[in-house]
Amino acid sequence: MNLKFNVNGPPGFCVDYIQALQRVDSGLLFKGLDEALPLTRIESDLAAERIDLFFALMKTRERVARFGFVETPALYNVRHRVAVRADDAVNVQGFDDIRALGGNGIILATRATGCESFLAEQPGLTVDAGATDDLRNLRKLLSGRGRFFYHADVTLRHCIEAEGAQARVRILPAVFHADSQLLAHAPGLAPERLARVVAAMRTLELSGAAARLRTAYGLT
């Protein structure tokens, strides 16, 4: 099967997860891990059935209209949080606190992500979703072109570490939303092919292998 995985997630997790699936069922043959594409391209290819599977994606109304999701088991769970510059003393507990900041509360979001879709449903926020790359948004935050960078906690941590910005950026403790990263599939994928993948995923859950893998990557 043709597939892609989420290169913006924890480095190595999805590859290790896929390899674990193949150890459970050696008949599962995947290809496509050697090419990284923009998320918008991956969604387009998935909807057009040029690829069969995508590890891993947040479920949104827009995406459900284009392709399918396997909700159980989830690959891992995420919490939506915000990163701010380390020298900014701001401390918000929720969206109301950000709204109260007015023009001083610009939120950076990465275009075409589930986080951007969720923010679009929240009234009264000033959102800048011009960047299509997470690291670009982090750099925009550091340069003062936004006050908050909103994303899944695991992605924020990965970006900060990749940029070597641990001393310049902090992630606030407030959780704005909880969600799961799921397996997405092409709308016309044969049910028996999908069922075989899901069966292997459930075996990983029952054996505890999936939980051990999540723990190894600091996930839940």
Side-chain angles (χ1 to χ4, degrees):
M1 280 182 276
N2 291 313
L3 78 151
K4 293 296 176 185
F5 64 98
N6 188 351
V7 296
N8 293 322
F13 172 81
C14 286
V15 172
D16 284 351
Y17 186 91
I18 291 164
Q19 291 173 343
L21 291 178
Q22 292 176 311
R23 287 193 292 272
V24 168
D25 183 348
S26 60
L28 289 175
L29 302 177
F30 300 120
K31 61 180 181 179
L33 288 172
D34 55 346
E35 183 182 9
L37 297 173
L39 187 56
T40 51
R41 167 67 183 280
I42 289 174
E43 290 191 29
S44 176
D45 284 355
L46 194 61
E49 302 186 0
R50 288 187 288 269
I51 60 175
D52 299 313
L53 302 171
F54 180 42
F55 295 80
L57 204 61
M58 291 181 192
K59 182 179 177 181
T60 66
R61 285 199 299 266
E62 297 85 356
R63 289 169 176 168
V64 168
R66 303 178 69 197
F67 38 78
F69 285 88
V70 174
E71 296 196 47
T72 305
L75 295 173
Y76 56 91
N77 299 311
V78 296
R79 292 163 297 277
H80 296 197
R81 296 169 67 182
V82 293
V84 299
R85 291 181 298 280
D87 59 0
D88 187 343
V90 69
N91 185 24
V92 295
Q93 301 301 318
F95 287 126
D96 284 344
D97 291 344
I98 296 180
R99 291 185 187 99
L101 295 171
N104 290 321
I106 296 175
I107 304 173
L108 302 172
T110 306
R111 189 189 309 168
T113 60
C115 288
E116 184 210 358
S117 296
F118 181 73
L119 286 174
E121 298 174 356
Q122 314 307 313
L125 299 175
T126 303
V127 179
D128 175 354
T132 58
D133 178 83
D134 296 328
L135 279 177
R136 187 176 302 172
N137 260 337
L138 180 63
R139 291 163 188 159
K140 287 175 68 172
L141 178 74
L142 288 168
S143 66
R145 295 166 61 194
R147 192 165 192 183
F148 304 97
F149 178 19
Y150 184 97
H151 217 312
D153 51 1
V154 63
T155 303
L156 291 174
R157 290 198 303 268
H158 169 48
C159 287
I160 292 167
E161 291 169 4
E163 190 70 5
Q166 293 92 329
R168 293 178 289 159
V169 179
R170 61 192 180 97
I171 300 174
L172 299 188
V175 175
F176 293 82
H177 182 61
D179 213 331
S180 297
Q181 291 279 6
L182 306 174
L183 172 63
H185 63 87
L189 181 62
E192 61 273 15
R193 299 180 71 198
L194 179 60
R196 187 167 181 174
V197 177
V198 174
M201 293 172 67
R202 289 175 177 163
T203 298
L204 287 185
E205 292 294 329
L206 291 171
S207 69
R212 289 191 294 273
L213 189 56
R214 286 190 284 268
T215 298
Y217 281 91
L219 302 169
T220 60

